[in-house]
Amino acid sequence: MSDDPPASVDVCIVGGCGRVGLPLGIAFATRGLSVVLYDINADAVAGVNAATLPFAEPGAAAPLAEAVAAGRLRATTDPASVGASEHLIVVVGTPVDEHLNPDLGAVPRALERCAEHLRDGQLIVLRSTVYPGVTALTEKLLAGKGLRTDVAFCPERIAEGRAMTELFTLPQIVAARTPEALTRAEKLFRHLTDQIVPLEPEEAELAKLFTNTWRYIKFATANQFWMMANDFGLDFARIRHAVAYDYPRAADLPMPGFAAGPCLFKDTMQLAAFNRNNFVLGHSAMLINEGLPLYLVSRLEDRFDLADSTVGILGMAFKGGSDDPRESLAYKLRKILALKTRETLCTDPYVPDERLVDLDEVLRRADLLVIAAPHEQYARLDTDKPVIDMWGLTGQGVRV
């Protein structure tokens, strides 16, 4: 147990300079709380302290600059910073390994790195998406170190690109084992919203996994429908329009496209592991979504002489309007096409990747274009080359 002095800041966020922690820290700072962001990425820490966003997040730049200038928000690589806060929020990533097994130790390891500075009386909030039981594991870890702390699980549910809106408008799920911890966590998150949904920790852990898995399965359904229509020479976009038009029960049927990124696939596999890998829907969704690049290339092979073609991939982010390439299926598409084509060129207006080339060069050199991320820049391309658009971005149908 640390002998650090009592709290001098309201909130410390572990992993605080990432895409989840930084918007959360900015949000608390805009509501008048003092915030310190603890992160092991020294470059990101330096950027935040210079009031520079390390990634794109609309609406975050101005409040970041204001909070830093006012002294309400700062970043550090010093683990001792966790002992100076009343509320400690953990937002580290929780990946699955190469065998699709959840990493149960990500959150405990983050706390172990700074455990000597933790102290009695703190509220420790887990914000990461965790395998069911990790909240209980964290409680045991802290108790085993002789610490008398309150622990809560309050999962993050924002979408990248909407953080500075959704942090204040989405209901906050708040879960804790004791009434005291629940009250403290609820009071903390009422700084952001009055909509609080209380649950037991294990209920909340499943609620977050169910949320992401439901989206992943919906995307897989749309992708399977698209492939069915495609294989019979029909345009899924026209069919979907008819199905959803003024018909609320089908309004949430998505358009097809790559379902990727750092959360949906990973959390579906965490849920499968939790249910002893007895999750037919989840595994089927994985096969459909992860197999989409292969299906797309097989359709292209039917229509084009790929071996004698240069193919341009437009967009390498995992979703439209984002600069985040993590787990993007555009990179899987590139690997497959590299084996099939004369040359494959990739471009993206947002993703920082030295292997990418300018859009103008791709439009000039490619024989065929594939929209892999639906950036709005690609909706009105000035080209006479064939454009493969499974997203429906160009309004020209989605048949391949």
Side-chain angles (χ1 to χ4, degrees):
M1 184 170 62
S2 173
D3 293 326
D4 289 338
S8 59
V9 297
D10 295 313
V11 178
C12 175
I13 302 178
V14 178
C17 292
R19 292 177 183 266
V20 173
L22 181 54
L24 181 63
I26 295 171
F28 278 127
T30 64
R31 294 299 169 91
L33 277 66
S34 56
V35 180
V36 61
L37 309 174
Y38 166 51
D39 204 292
I40 60 175
N41 184 333
D43 290 338
V45 165
V48 169
N49 285 331
T52 301
L53 283 172
F55 48 81
E57 185 59 57
L64 170 63
E66 180 183 346
V68 170
R72 291 194 304 272
L73 186 146
R74 65 180 178 86
T76 181
T77 58
D78 183 2
S81 60
V82 305
S85 67
E86 179 182 354
H87 309 95
L88 184 68
I89 304 178
V90 182
V91 297
V92 296
T94 52
V96 292
D97 65 19
E98 66 273 19
H99 305 295
L100 305 183
N101 297 313
D103 180 359
L104 305 186
V107 170
R109 281 196 302 274
L111 289 171
E112 285 281 7
R113 279 196 293 266
C114 55
E116 64 182 292
H117 304 289
L118 299 176
R119 55 183 180 75
D120 289 345
Q122 288 181 298
L123 172 67
I124 297 177
V125 177
L126 308 187
R127 193 74 167 161
S128 307
T129 305
V130 298
Y131 185 84
V134 167
T135 303
L137 185 66
T138 302
E139 292 167 337
K140 292 177 184 177
L141 169 70
L142 296 171
K145 293 182 177 296
L147 286 161
R148 296 184 299 277
T149 58
D150 287 322
V151 177
F153 176 61
C154 307
E156 185 61 84
R157 298 195 292 164
I158 59 170
E160 281 188 24
R162 303 177 190 171
M164 301 315 298
T165 298
E166 293 187 344
L167 279 167
F168 302 108
T169 57
L170 291 180
Q172 293 286 333
I173 294 176
V174 173
R177 195 84 53 199
T178 67
E180 294 79 12
L182 188 67
T183 298
R184 292 183 70 186
E186 179 176 338
K187 181 179 177 181
L188 174 63
F189 284 98
R190 282 195 183 278
H191 287 284
L192 305 182
T193 179
D194 286 331
Q195 297 187 82
I196 302 294
V197 183
L199 288 176
E200 294 295 322
E202 288 72 26
E203 292 174 329
E205 290 167 340
L206 277 181
K208 179 56 192 290
L209 292 180
F210 285 171
T211 299
N212 282 355
T213 300
W214 174 237
R215 284 177 55 77
Y216 194 66
I217 290 172
K218 282 204 297 186
F219 292 143
T221 300
N223 286 332
Q224 181 85 84
F225 285 172
W226 174 65
M227 288 187 274
M228 287 180 182
N230 240 359
D231 289 343
F232 283 89
L234 303 173
D235 188 346
F236 174 75
R238 288 171 53 84
I239 300 168
R240 176 186 173 275
H241 172 74
V243 168
Y245 181 74
D246 203 17
Y247 192 69
R249 288 189 290 278
D252 62 345
L253 175 60
M255 287 291 284
F258 289 152
C263 296
L264 302 188
F265 166 75
K266 177 261 294 185
D267 291 343
T268 302
M269 293 302 99
Q270 288 205 85
L271 188 57
F274 171 71
N275 203 46
R276 300 177 294 277
N277 279 327
N278 179 22
F279 191 19
V280 174
L281 271 175
H283 286 123
S284 296
M286 181 260 290
L287 293 174
I288 293 166
N289 289 331
E290 288 291 309
L292 194 58
L294 285 164
Y295 172 84
L296 183 59
V297 172
S298 72
R299 295 292 298 184
L300 296 181
E301 286 184 296
D302 291 340
R303 288 184 53 188
F304 304 98
D305 180 10
L306 292 184
D308 195 37
S309 299
T310 295
V311 176
I313 300 178
L314 309 183
M316 303 304 290
F318 82 84
K319 70 174 185 176
S322 172
D323 65 343
D324 190 349
R326 290 179 297 169
E327 311 305 324
S328 170
L329 287 175
Y331 286 89
K332 188 171 186 176
L333 177 65
R334 183 179 68 176
K335 289 180 181 180
I336 300 167
L337 285 174
L339 299 173
K340 305 281 188 179
T341 64
R342 181 179 62 214
E343 186 179 14
T344 301
L345 304 173
C346 303
T347 187
D348 193 290
Y350 307 117
V351 172
D353 185 337
E354 61 185 14
R355 297 169 294 180
L356 307 185
V357 298
D358 291 338
L359 175 60
D360 289 344
E361 181 178 351
V362 174
L363 294 179
R364 185 178 70 253
R365 292 174 53 192
D367 302 301
L368 167 67
L369 302 167
V370 180
I371 299 178
H375 297 318
E376 62 179 15
Q377 292 91 331
Y378 304 145
R380 294 169 296 278
L381 292 169
D382 183 13
T383 181
D384 58 358
K385 311 288 178 63
V387 178
I388 305 303
D389 174 25
M390 60 184 161
W391 310 86
L393 186 67
T394 61
Q396 303 300 310
V398 297
R399 189 168 54 186
V400 176

